[in-house]
């Protein structure tokens, strides 16, 4: 390949600094508990620093000058902004800061942007300080929450700061990846602790902060502590930059041949990452022995979805895929195989910049431009440095490699020019390929500019929400004064501060109007002036912008069967909640395409002309249950709650669709062609489950609503078990914290939640009842053909039934327990019978099935086999 050097970030590979051991290298971590035994309460700053330096040296680490500078400032009580390169030992500085906090009997919080990093940091801290001194909070899970050292997401710390204010028992705040402060959606969580915790000491860390002068001045003003900037440290693992003008597969082959693996190939769409990985299957990435090691480590890991089949083939070849559209368990499998040194190439997106723990020697940029949701643009300096900085593993590599791949049209032009380089006449006639339409091109000069550029200054993205208001209202003292401070002394410009004030006033009024809170005439002894008024379950949360609207809308629904005997109350509750959730763009788009495709087929069959078909298609949309009712209710609600007009009510049917059709996760993905978006589908279902579990008041939770919520929760858990399951296993007394890396654990047995499992059985049986009622024996054949019941066989039964009866009931009685018989005589093989609700009430037709509990646990989905169907005399 043709690689042209583009400069380096730091020192050459043979410099003395490059030979130093890494402070973050896994081999240098001390035995669990060692550090916690060294501190003594009341040690002066010099003693704390000396003890920690001794511990580090005994662990095989000599502190770098930048680390010494930062630690001296921290033990002296100053805030520190640590803006040093990736791999320069920021984690060790954080450990030293937490050690100093522990020695002075202060509680410390360590925040990271994603739960996977929080989990990773939790175990690392347990290894250093001992499990009894470390806890973890993620919003979904809590482990040892009263420990003096807490690892958590930034949102968790922000909510604690909002709820407890300046009196929160937090002595030290370590915020990793602080450049997330500038994230438009999540930046508020990095700003709130700075505003609300003036008694805390702060350590803010990132390799790409830009100018932080204003931030330092603000921290000093708020905390009364000096704020030191430690920056421009020498990168211990220098980077070598190259520009590649060969085709991508040749570039990667050259990197593999010259032992530059592991290689992370960065793409800016999920589809291109997968396409690249599949194209590399022709490259001999791993040896036979390495492939066997991969197979041994994967073991019985459950590739439970459509994409899983593809991923299994790729990783067994030594190629990983990593992007946000994958199920979390698949991303973690790729990360853990990489950590074990078994993947040579990983094709992924720029999620790499978040700091996933994947050992990488070489980063290859497939492009220097991307679509940011609005337009195509070149990468900014922060994005480039954040991704490039992941190259080179401290403690393993003497240098990292960063390669920028030239655009395809440039590669092709150079290739064509090389063929005629010796012929002037042919050179003059050479027609160069132009830049493709819509593409933002880049070049070697673009790369050089990004290498030399400093990261852009961080921009405030504060925002308010119903949850923020409730947290402040729960704080002791005067909530009005607290909210005024929060809204007028943040980092926003004055115009946006005033807008936030108006939003909060609207939210507070809506909470009062909805009856969620009421003002007390006499404040409570601790100063609280408001209290919740509803009978809410312990885990109830108003965590969506329209949560209070959902409460009002659920009140409009009537439990029980309607005049026609149909009981849709539970599904209507689901539709109300789904309407308040963010739209899952991929699912809705797929539903719309499928609806339009079916409509076109129907119109063609009816002989409708093309022009009329096109007009009629404009009226086709995805399913929107209760749209008329919800739109009217929202119009009335918005009249009394003007702030709500800015929110987006969006009726949709994803969970409802799955329940009505008794679809599994895999069936949903296959039905709508969502293989590349499994992660997005799971996130939506998980969000819906949490909203249903924590956003429906107690008096609305009928038995069927509870069954549906339990079913959805178990479905999500079986697709990808929550981190809580694995944390519980890993933190048990039988599981040592230094256990070797293993693939993600399997979820708990599906049959362990009998209520949810029974709901799955009832749903699967009713799906067949519904298909019989609609005389859809072809679809019945698709469900049961493996059991010998194809469409023809089902057709005979359905037609015979309708020869005797005019219809099949599908109302509340049809789904009720009276028409469902479950025989549990054999503990692991249940026999079930579904009786059809015929209009004569004879109940002499139905079908029988067997449910294999062991197979259901193994596969993570209901395994049921149809045995018989027809008339029963």
């Amino acid at each position: 390949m043709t690689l042209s050097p583009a400069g380096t970030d730091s020192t050459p590979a043979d410099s003395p600094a490059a030979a130093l051991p890494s402070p973050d290298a896994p081999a240098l971590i001390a035995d669990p508990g060692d550090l916690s035994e060294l501190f003594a309460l009341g040690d002066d700053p010099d003693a704390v620093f000396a003890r920690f330096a001794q511990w580090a040296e005994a662990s095989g680490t000599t502190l770098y000058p930048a680390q010494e500078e930062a630690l001296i400032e921290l033990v002296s009580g100053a805030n520190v902004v640590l803006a040093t390169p990736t791999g320069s030992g920021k984690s060790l500085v954080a450990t030293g800061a937490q050690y100093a906090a522990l020695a002075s009997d202060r509680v410390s919080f360590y925040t990271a942007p994603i739960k996977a990093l929080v989990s990773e940091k939790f175990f690392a801290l347990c290894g250093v300080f001992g499990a009894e001194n470390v806890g973890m909070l993620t919003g979904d899970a809590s482990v040892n929450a009263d420990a003096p050292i807490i690892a958590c997401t930034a949102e968790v710390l922000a909510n604690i700061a909002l709820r407890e204010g300046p009196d929160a028992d937090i002595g030290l705040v370590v915020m990793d990846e602080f450049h997330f402060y500038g994230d438009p959606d999540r930046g508020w969580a990095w700003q709130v602790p700075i505003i609300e915790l003036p008694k805390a000491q702060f350590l803010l860390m990132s390799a790409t902060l830009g100018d932080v002068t204003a931030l330092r001045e603000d921290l000093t003003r708020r905390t009364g502590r000096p704020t030191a900037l430690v920056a421009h440290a020498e990168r211990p693992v220098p980077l070598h930059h190259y520009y590649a003008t060969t085709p991508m597969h040749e570039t990667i082959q050259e990197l593999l041949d010259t032992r530059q693996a592991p290689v992370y190939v960065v793409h800016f769409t999920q589809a291109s990452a997968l396409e690249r990985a599949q194209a590399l299957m022709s490259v001999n990435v791993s040896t036979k022995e390495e492939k066997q090691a991969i197979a041994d480590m994967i073991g019985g890991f459950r590739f439970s979805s459509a994409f899983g089949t593809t991923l299994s083939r790729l990783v067994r070849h030594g190629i990983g895929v990593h992007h946000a559209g994958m199920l979390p368990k698949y991303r973690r499998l790729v990360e853990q195989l990489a950590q074990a040194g078994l993947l040579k190439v990983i094709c992924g997106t720029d999620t790499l910049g978040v700091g996933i723990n994947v050992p990488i020697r070489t980063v290859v940029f497939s492009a220097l431009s991307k679509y940011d949701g609005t337009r195509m643009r070149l990468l900014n300096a922060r994005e480039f440095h954040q991704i490039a900085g992941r190259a080179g593993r401290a403690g393993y590599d003497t240098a990292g490699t960063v390669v920028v791949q030239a655009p395809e049209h440039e590669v092709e032009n150079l290739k064509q020019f090389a063929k005629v380089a010796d012929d002037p006449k042919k050179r003059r006639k050479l027609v160069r390929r132009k830049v493709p339409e819509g593409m933002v091109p880049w070049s070697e000069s673009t790369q050089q500019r990004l290498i030399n550029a400093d990261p852009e200054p961080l921009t405030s993205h504060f925002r308010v929400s119903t949850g923020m208001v409730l947290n402040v209202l729960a704080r002791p003292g005067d909530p009005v004064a607290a909210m005024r401070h929060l809204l007028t002394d943040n980092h926003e410009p004055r115009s946006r501060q005033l807008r936030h004030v108006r939003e909060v006033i609207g939210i507070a009024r809506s909470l009062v109007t909805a009856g969620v809170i009421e003002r007390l005439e006499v404040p409570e002894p601790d100063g609280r002036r408001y209290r919740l008024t509803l009978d809410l379950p312990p885990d109830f949360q108003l965590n969506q912008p329209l949560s209070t609207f959902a409460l009002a809308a659920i009140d409009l629904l009537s439990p029980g069967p309607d005049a026609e005997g149909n009981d849709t109350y539970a599904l209507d509750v689901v539709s109300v909640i789904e309407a308040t959730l963010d739209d899952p763009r991929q699912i809705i788009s797929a539903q719309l395409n499928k609806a339009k495709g079916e409509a076109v087929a129907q119109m063609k069959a009816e002989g409708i002309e093309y022009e009329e078909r096109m007009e009629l298609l404009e009226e086709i949309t995805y399913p929107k249950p209760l749209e008329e009712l919800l739109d009217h209710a929202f119009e009335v609600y918005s009249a009394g709650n003007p702030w709500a007009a800015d929110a987006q009510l969006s009726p949709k049917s994803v969970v409802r669709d799955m329940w009505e059709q008794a679809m599994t996760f895999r069936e949903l993905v296959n039905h709508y062609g969502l293989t590349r978006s499994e992660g997005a589908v799971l996130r939506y279902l998980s969000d819906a489950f949490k909203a249903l579990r924590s956003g429906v008041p107690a008096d609305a939770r009928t038995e069927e609503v509870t069954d549906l919520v339990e079913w959805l929760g178990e479905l999500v858990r079986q697709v990808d078990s929550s981190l809580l399951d694995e944390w519980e296993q890993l933190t048990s007394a039988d599981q040592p914290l230094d256990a070797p890396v293993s693939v993600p654990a399997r979820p708990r047995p599906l049959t362990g939640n009998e209520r949810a499992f029974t709901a799955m059985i009832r749903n699967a049986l009713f799906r067949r009842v519904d298909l019989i009622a609609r005389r859809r024996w072809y679809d019945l054949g698709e469900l049961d053909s493996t059991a010998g019941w194809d469409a023809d066989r089902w057709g005979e039964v359905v037609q015979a039934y309708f020869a005797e009866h005019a219809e099949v009931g599908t109302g509340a009685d049809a789904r009720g327990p009276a028409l469902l018989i479950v025989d549990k005589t054999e503990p692991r093989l249940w026999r079930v019978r579904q009786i059809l609700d015929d209009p004569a009430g004879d109940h002499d037709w139905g079908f029988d099935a067997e449910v294999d509990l062991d197979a259901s646990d193994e596969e993570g989905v209901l395994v049921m086999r149809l045995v018989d169907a027809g008339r029963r005399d």
Side-chain angles (χ1 to χ4, degrees), residues 69-70 73-74 76-82 178 194 200-204 209 212-230:
E69 180 185 351
E73 294 285 358
L74 287 163
S76 300
N79 302 312
V80 170
V81 178
L82 188 58
F178 188 73
I194 294 173
Q201 179 185 19
F202 286 86
L203 170 58
L204 311 178
L209 287 181
V212 292
T213 303
L215 178 64
R216 292 174 61 196
E217 293 173 351
D218 184 69
L219 264 179
T220 297
R221 175 180 68 85
R222 294 177 185 276
T223 65
R225 302 171 183 267
T227 302
L229 171 64
V230 179

Side-chain angles (χ1 to χ4, degrees), residues 81 166 185 224 227 246 460 490 515 601 620 648 687 755 857:
V81 178
D185 295 320
T227 302
T246 48
S460 170
N490 53 44
I620 303 296
Q648 185 67 44
D687 288 345
R755 181 166 195 161
D857 285 341

Side-chain angles (χ1 to χ4, degrees), residues 836-857:
L836 298 183
D837 185 22
D838 62 90
D842 295 334
H843 296 163
D844 53 354
W845 284 78
F847 51 90
D848 302 275
E850 293 178 342
V851 179
D852 190 330
L853 274 68
D854 288 333
S856 298
D857 285 341

